């Protein structure tokens, strides 16, 4: 939604394919900086199609009150008028990204409809639009969601773009990696209180903030637990110093889980490590890539040295 | 709420003053590990006094449904019976921490009352209790709160502990550093949409998650802005890819703020940098210590190299 001058200059020098631009000031700044470098930058306008993606408020990104994108009227003004002044830009793309974890087809149909209508009408007035970036947002299964499949999605998209001579750009993120990641958490204490049982694990909100930040659900599967057991509702929590530090609340899990057992927190491939912090001076976990029976540590566990790297004691 | 075996062993070796213990399994583990090192560990029991700190749910930590502390009945059992078996522990302290950003005196009075009653009654039965740790939780002024002053707080505490022969331990955190920190954010774009104005700044939810995580308010003061202006309600947002990335919503700020102006986001000394992440591949900002007109960079700005330190490409 806002690239700094330094970021734009670096991207221009790296000859990136496209800038997805979200405001007129940003457009003017890129034009100016491209001019300085004597370059012509390819630009797509990120439109705000004003559709409700029907997902968590924080990840709905295409309603008119959101900070993202440019309304359709202003977009037309940019293509039809402003583009003539912006000599160092080739404004040849339309972009939208309506949100994240979208389960229904409807919001995509609405956005595609609006984008194609815009493109058709601009083309009729002489604009050469060559690229359509439809963003990401495909929902995945965390619990019992029944999101559209990739095939459903493809059919929807094709029904809009077939024959339109548009280069299509997609930005699937969570859909590709979300279900592929698992967070392993070891039970360090089973804590019974008069009103509740807590499984205190060695992972915490600093590793996986989605449950407390978005109220998100992650499936939890105990590993290597052969013992037969009834289910009991427990809170799975980390060692961080606040009540917001939980991975699951009132989750039915085998009632004989004990210290040392390992829980797999499923579907942790997106927005977990990526949003991880060092809150409570906790080191970030290692990342391990698994392929069949082979594995590689692709990111080592942080240590305390990492936490203070860059720090300096003032002698003032 | 849960220290791992490794953490306990390291703390024993470092001869820390006290373990604040929150469950019987934790007590037993520390006893076992202290035995292995042939040490006697000083322990305080963190009690759960079941008081409502009347603050954000995520930072209320002493209600009976919270994961923290040990109920009073179990605490009595620990002091009167279990302590005899735990030969490597000197259980001589009582600890509570009822929450964070507490503005009223009432929850502290309630917790102190319960703790002192417990201590008196245990002492009558022969327990040698030498330390009382009353935690932290003193609220600070973010907006127009009127929290108890440090003097009020001291008077309350003294009224309970005077003459009780207890070593008092306090854990003020936010109270000491909260108001001392300021986050500087530069306006990179002023974005007008048909329904709203956004100031897009170069700080984001990865730097300061409190507004979206807790619904927290931080005062925003434009720096070096001499121009006279009316006020206009704007959203102050960062460049991160979600609508949850905001520092302030509908905040009245001078309507002539422009690109390059710097905003001071006030009272950012606690739970801001400490909870910072690298979400959206954003490098953490520098930390600067200011004393009068002197300053020292005490933590350098992160760079992209920092973000991939420890990563390794798999050749599987």
């Amino acid at each position: 939604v806002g690239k700094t001058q330094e970021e734009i200059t670096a991207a221009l020098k790296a000859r990136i394919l496209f800038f997805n631009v979200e405001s007129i000031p940003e457009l003017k700044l890129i034009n100016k900086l491209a001019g300085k470098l004597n370059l012509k930058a390819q630009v797509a306008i990120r439109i705000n199609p004003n559709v409700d993606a029907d997902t968590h408020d924080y990840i709905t990104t295409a309603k008119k009150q959101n900070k993202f994108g440019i309304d359709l009227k202003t977009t037309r003004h940019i293509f039809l008028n402003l583009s003539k002044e912006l000599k160092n830009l080739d404004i040849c793309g339309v972009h939208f990204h309506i949100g994240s974890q979208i389960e229904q087809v409807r919001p995509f149909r609405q956005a595609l409809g609006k984008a194609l209508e815009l493109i058709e009408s601009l083309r009729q007035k002489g604009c050469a639009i060559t690229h359509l970036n439809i963003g990401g947002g495909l929902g995945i299964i965390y619990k019992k969601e029944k999101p559209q499949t990739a095939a459903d999605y493809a059919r929807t998209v094709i029904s809009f773009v077939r024959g339109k001579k548009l280069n299509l750009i997609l930005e699937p993120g969570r859909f590709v990696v979300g279900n592929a990641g698992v967070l392993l958490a070891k039970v360090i204490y089973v804590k019974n209180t008069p009103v509740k049982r807590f499984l205190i694990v060695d992972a915490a909100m600093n590793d996986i903030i989605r449950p407390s930040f978005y109220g998100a659900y992650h499936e939890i599967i105990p590993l290597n637990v052969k013992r037969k057991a009834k289910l009991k509702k427990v809170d799975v929590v980390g060692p961080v110093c606040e009540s917001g530090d939980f991975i699951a609340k009132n989750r039915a899990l085998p009632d004989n889980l004990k210290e040392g057992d390992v829980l797999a927190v499923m579907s942790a491939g997106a927005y977990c490590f990526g949003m991880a912090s060092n809150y409570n001076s906790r080191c970030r976990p290692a990342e391990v890539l698994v392929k069949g029976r082979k594995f590689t540590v692709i990111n080592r566990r942080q240590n305390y040295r990492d936490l203070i790297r860059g720090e300096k004691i003032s002698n003032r």
Side-chain angles (χ1 to χ4, degrees), chain A residues 178-222:
Chain A
N179 292 132
V182 167
L183 172 68
L184 299 185
K186 191 190 282 176
V187 177
I188 49 180
Y189 297 105
V190 177
K191 175 168 178 175
N192 291 300
T193 76
V195 296
K196 230 176 202 179
R197 178 178 291 177
F198 295 92
L199 299 182
I200 299 168
V201 300
D202 63 356
M205 64 184 282
N206 73 297
D207 305 304
I208 182 165
I209 204 170
R210 296 190 73 253
S212 55
F213 194 63
Y214 304 111
Y217 178 99
H218 285 269
E219 199 65 67
I220 294 179
I221 300 180

Coordinates of all heavy atoms in Angstrom, one line a residue, chain A residues 178-222:
Chain A
G178 N 0.1 -23.0 3.1 CA -0.6 -23.0 4.4 C -0.7 -24.4 5.0 O -0.3 -24.6 6.1
N179 N -1.2 -25.3 4.2 CA -1.4 -26.7 4.7 C -0.1 -27.5 4.7 O -0.1 -28.6 5.3 CB -2.5 -27.4 3.9 CG -3.9 -26.9 4.1 OD1 -4.6 -26.7 3.1 ND2 -4.3 -26.7 5.3
A180 N 0.9 -26.9 4.1 CA 2.2 -27.7 4.0 C 3.0 -27.5 5.3 O 4.0 -28.3 5.4 CB 3.0 -27.2 2.8
G181 N 2.7 -26.6 6.1 CA 3.5 -26.4 7.3 C 2.8 -26.9 8.6 O 1.6 -26.8 8.8
V182 N 3.7 -27.4 9.5 CA 3.2 -27.9 10.8 C 4.1 -27.4 11.9 O 5.3 -27.3 11.7 CB 3.3 -29.5 10.8 CG1 3.1 -30.0 12.2 CG2 2.2 -30.1 9.8
L183 N 3.5 -26.9 12.9 CA 4.3 -26.4 14.1 C 4.3 -27.5 15.1 O 3.3 -28.0 15.6 CB 3.7 -25.2 14.7 CG 4.3 -24.6 16.0 CD1 5.7 -24.1 15.8 CD2 3.4 -23.6 16.6
L184 N 5.5 -28.0 15.5 CA 5.6 -29.0 16.5 C 5.8 -28.3 17.9 O 6.7 -27.5 18.1 CB 6.8 -29.9 16.3 CG 6.7 -30.7 15.0 CD1 7.9 -31.7 14.8 CD2 5.4 -31.5 14.8
A185 N 5.0 -28.8 18.8 CA 5.0 -28.2 20.2 C 5.1 -29.3 21.2 O 4.3 -30.2 21.1 CB 3.8 -27.3 20.4
K186 N 6.0 -29.2 22.1 CA 6.2 -30.3 23.1 C 5.4 -29.9 24.4 O 5.5 -28.7 24.8 CB 7.6 -30.5 23.4 CG 7.9 -31.8 24.3 CD 9.3 -31.8 24.8 CE 10.3 -32.3 23.7 NZ 11.7 -32.3 24.2
V187 N 4.7 -30.8 25.0 CA 4.0 -30.5 26.2 C 5.1 -30.4 27.3 O 5.9 -31.4 27.5 CB 3.0 -31.6 26.6 CG1 2.4 -31.4 28.0 CG2 1.9 -31.8 25.5
I188 N 5.1 -29.3 28.0 CA 6.1 -29.2 29.1 C 5.5 -29.4 30.5 O 6.1 -29.9 31.4 CB 7.0 -27.9 29.0 CG1 6.2 -26.6 28.8 CG2 8.0 -28.0 27.9 CD1 7.1 -25.4 28.8
Y189 N 4.2 -29.0 30.6 CA 3.5 -29.3 31.8 C 2.0 -29.6 31.5 O 1.4 -29.0 30.6 CB 3.5 -28.1 32.8 CG 4.9 -27.7 33.3 CD1 5.6 -26.6 32.8 CD2 5.6 -28.5 34.2 CE1 6.9 -26.3 33.2 CE2 6.9 -28.3 34.6 CZ 7.5 -27.2 34.1 OH 8.8 -26.9 34.5
V190 N 1.5 -30.5 32.3 CA 0.0 -30.6 32.3 C -0.4 -30.0 33.6 O 0.0 -30.4 34.7 CB -0.4 -32.1 32.3 CG1 -1.9 -32.3 32.4 CG2 0.1 -32.8 31.0
K191 N -1.2 -28.9 33.5 CA -1.6 -28.2 34.7 C -3.1 -28.2 34.9 O -3.8 -27.8 34.1 CB -1.1 -26.7 34.5 CG -1.6 -25.8 35.6 CD -0.9 -24.4 35.5 CE -1.4 -23.5 36.7 NZ -0.7 -22.2 36.7
N192 N -3.4 -28.9 36.0 CA -4.8 -28.9 36.4 C -5.1 -27.8 37.4 O -4.5 -27.7 38.4 CB -5.1 -30.3 37.0 CG -5.0 -31.4 36.0 OD1 -5.8 -31.4 35.0 ND2 -4.1 -32.3 36.2
T193 N -6.2 -27.1 37.1 CA -6.6 -26.1 38.1 C -8.1 -26.5 38.4 O -8.6 -27.3 37.8 CB -6.6 -24.7 37.4 OG1 -7.7 -24.5 36.6 CG2 -5.3 -24.4 36.7
P194 N -8.6 -25.9 39.5 CA -10.0 -26.2 39.9 C -11.0 -26.1 38.7 O -12.0 -26.8 38.7 CB -10.3 -25.3 41.0 CG -9.0 -24.9 41.6 CD -8.0 -24.9 40.4
V195 N -10.7 -25.2 37.8 CA -11.8 -25.1 36.7 C -11.3 -25.5 35.4 O -12.2 -25.6 34.4 CB -12.2 -23.6 36.6 CG1 -12.9 -23.2 37.9 CG2 -11.1 -22.7 36.3
K196 N -10.1 -25.9 35.2 CA -9.6 -26.2 33.8 C -8.4 -27.0 33.8 O -7.6 -26.9 34.7 CB -9.3 -24.8 33.1 CG -10.0 -24.7 31.8 CD -9.7 -23.3 31.3 CE -10.7 -22.9 30.2 NZ -10.5 -21.6 29.7
R197 N -8.1 -27.7 32.7 CA -6.8 -28.3 32.4 C -6.1 -27.5 31.3 O -6.7 -27.2 30.3 CB -6.9 -29.8 32.0 CG -5.5 -30.4 31.7 CD -5.6 -31.8 31.4 NE -6.0 -32.6 32.5 CZ -6.2 -33.9 32.5 NH1 -6.0 -34.6 31.4 NH2 -6.6 -34.6 33.6
F198 N -4.8 -27.2 31.6 CA -4.0 -26.6 30.6 C -2.9 -27.5 30.2 O -2.2 -28.1 31.0 CB -3.4 -25.3 31.2 CG -4.4 -24.2 31.6 CD1 -4.9 -24.2 32.8 CD2 -4.8 -23.3 30.6 CE1 -5.8 -23.2 33.2 CE2 -5.7 -22.3 31.0 CZ -6.2 -22.3 32.3
L199 N -2.7 -27.6 28.9 CA -1.4 -28.2 28.4 C -0.5 -27.0 28.1 O -0.8 -26.2 27.2 CB -1.7 -29.0 27.1 CG -2.6 -30.2 27.2 CD1 -2.7 -31.0 25.9 CD2 -2.2 -31.2 28.3
I200 N 0.5 -26.9 28.8 CA 1.5 -25.9 28.6 C 2.6 -26.4 27.7 O 3.2 -27.4 28.0 CB 2.1 -25.4 29.9 CG1 0.9 -24.8 30.8 CG2 3.1 -24.3 29.7 CD1 1.3 -24.6 32.2
V201 N 2.7 -25.8 26.5 CA 3.6 -26.3 25.5 C 4.8 -25.3 25.3 O 4.7 -24.2 25.8 CB 2.9 -26.6 24.2 CG1 1.8 -27.6 24.4 CG2 2.3 -25.3 23.6
D202 N 5.8 -25.8 24.6 CA 7.0 -25.0 24.4 C 6.9 -24.1 23.1 O 7.9 -23.4 22.8 CB 8.3 -25.8 24.4 CG 8.3 -26.8 23.2 OD1 7.4 -26.9 22.5 OD2 9.4 -27.5 23.1
A203 N 5.7 -24.0 22.5 CA 5.5 -23.0 21.5 C 4.5 -22.0 22.1 O 3.8 -22.3 23.0 CB 4.9 -23.7 20.2
A204 N 4.5 -20.8 21.5 CA 3.7 -19.8 22.1 C 3.2 -18.8 21.1 O 3.5 -18.9 19.9 CB 4.5 -19.1 23.2
M205 N 2.5 -17.8 21.6 CA 2.0 -16.7 20.7 C 3.0 -16.0 19.8 O 2.7 -15.5 18.8 CB 1.2 -15.7 21.4 CG 2.0 -14.9 22.4 SD 1.0 -13.7 23.4 CE 0.7 -12.4 22.3
N206 N 4.3 -16.0 20.3 CA 5.3 -15.4 19.5 C 5.6 -16.3 18.2 O 6.0 -15.7 17.2 CB 6.6 -15.2 20.3 CG 7.3 -16.5 20.5 OD1 6.7 -17.4 21.2 ND2 8.5 -16.7 20.0
D207 N 5.3 -17.6 18.3 CA 5.5 -18.5 17.2 C 4.3 -18.5 16.3 O 4.4 -18.7 15.1 CB 5.8 -19.9 17.7 CG 7.0 -20.0 18.6 OD1 8.0 -19.5 18.3 OD2 6.8 -20.5 19.8
I208 N 3.1 -18.4 16.9 CA 1.9 -18.6 16.1 C 0.8 -17.7 16.7 O 0.2 -18.0 17.7 CB 1.4 -20.1 16.1 CG1 0.2 -20.3 15.3 CG2 1.3 -20.7 17.5 CD1 -0.1 -21.7 14.9
I209 N 0.7 -16.5 16.1 CA -0.2 -15.5 16.7 C -1.6 -15.6 16.2 O -2.5 -14.9 16.7 CB 0.4 -14.0 16.5 CG1 -0.1 -13.1 17.6 CG2 0.2 -13.5 15.1 CD1 0.6 -11.7 17.6
R210 N -1.8 -16.4 15.2 CA -3.1 -16.5 14.5 C -4.3 -16.7 15.5 O -5.3 -16.1 15.4 CB -3.1 -17.4 13.4 CG -2.2 -17.0 12.2 CD -2.4 -17.9 11.0 NE -3.7 -17.6 10.3 CZ -4.7 -18.3 10.3 NH1 -4.8 -19.5 10.9 NH2 -5.8 -17.9 9.7
P211 N -4.1 -17.7 16.4 CA -5.3 -18.0 17.3 C -5.7 -16.7 18.1 O -6.9 -16.4 18.2 CB -4.7 -19.1 18.2 CG -3.8 -19.8 17.4 CD -3.1 -18.7 16.6
S212 N -4.7 -16.0 18.7 CA -5.2 -14.9 19.5 C -5.4 -13.6 18.6 O -6.3 -12.8 19.0 CB -4.2 -14.6 20.6 OG -2.9 -14.4 20.2
F213 N -4.7 -13.5 17.5 CA -4.9 -12.3 16.7 C -6.1 -12.3 15.9 O -6.8 -11.3 15.7 CB -3.6 -12.1 15.8 CG -3.5 -10.8 15.2 CD1 -3.4 -9.6 16.0 CD2 -3.5 -10.6 13.8 CE1 -3.2 -8.4 15.4 CE2 -3.4 -9.4 13.2 CZ -3.3 -8.2 14.0
Y214 N -6.4 -13.5 15.2 CA -7.5 -13.6 14.3 C -8.6 -14.5 14.9 O -9.6 -14.7 14.2 CB -7.1 -14.2 13.0 CG -6.0 -13.4 12.2 CD1 -4.8 -14.0 12.1 CD2 -6.2 -12.2 11.7 CE1 -3.7 -13.4 11.4 CE2 -5.2 -11.6 11.0 CZ -4.0 -12.1 10.9 OH -3.0 -11.5 10.2
G215 N -8.4 -15.0 16.1 CA -9.4 -16.0 16.6 C -9.4 -17.2 15.7 O -10.4 -17.9 15.5
A216 N -8.2 -17.6 15.2 CA -8.1 -18.6 14.2 C -8.0 -20.0 14.8 O -7.6 -20.2 16.0 CB -6.8 -18.4 13.3
Y217 N -8.5 -21.0 14.1 CA -8.5 -22.4 14.6 C -7.4 -23.1 13.9 O -7.3 -23.1 12.6 CB -9.8 -23.0 14.2 CG -10.0 -24.5 14.6 CD1 -10.6 -24.9 15.8 CD2 -9.4 -25.5 13.8 CE1 -10.7 -26.2 16.1 CE2 -9.5 -26.8 14.1 CZ -10.2 -27.2 15.3 OH -10.3 -28.5 15.7
H218 N -6.5 -23.8 14.6 CA -5.6 -24.8 14.0 C -5.8 -26.1 14.6 O -5.9 -26.3 15.9 CB -4.1 -24.3 14.3 CG -3.7 -23.2 13.5 ND1 -3.0 -23.3 12.3 CD2 -3.8 -21.8 13.7 CE1 -2.8 -22.1 11.8 NE2 -3.2 -21.2 12.6
E219 N -5.9 -27.1 13.8 CA -6.1 -28.5 14.2 C -4.9 -28.9 15.0 O -3.7 -28.5 14.7 CB -6.2 -29.4 13.0 CG -6.8 -30.8 13.2 CD -8.3 -30.7 13.7 OE1 -9.1 -30.2 12.9 OE2 -8.5 -31.0 14.8
I220 N -5.1 -29.7 16.1 CA -3.9 -30.2 16.9 C -4.0 -31.7 16.9 O -5.0 -32.3 17.3 CB -4.0 -29.6 18.3 CG1 -3.8 -28.1 18.2 CG2 -2.9 -30.2 19.2 CD1 -3.8 -27.4 19.6
I221 N -2.9 -32.3 16.5 CA -2.8 -33.8 16.4 C -1.6 -34.3 17.3 O -0.5 -33.9 17.0 CB -2.6 -34.3 15.0 CG1 -3.8 -33.8 14.1 CG2 -2.5 -35.8 14.9 CD1 -3.8 -34.2 12.7
P222 N -1.9 -35.0 18.4 CA -0.8 -35.6 19.2 C 0.0 -36.6 18.3 O -0.7 -37.4 17.6 CB -1.5 -36.3 20.3 CG -2.9 -35.7 20.3 CD -3.2 -35.4 18.9

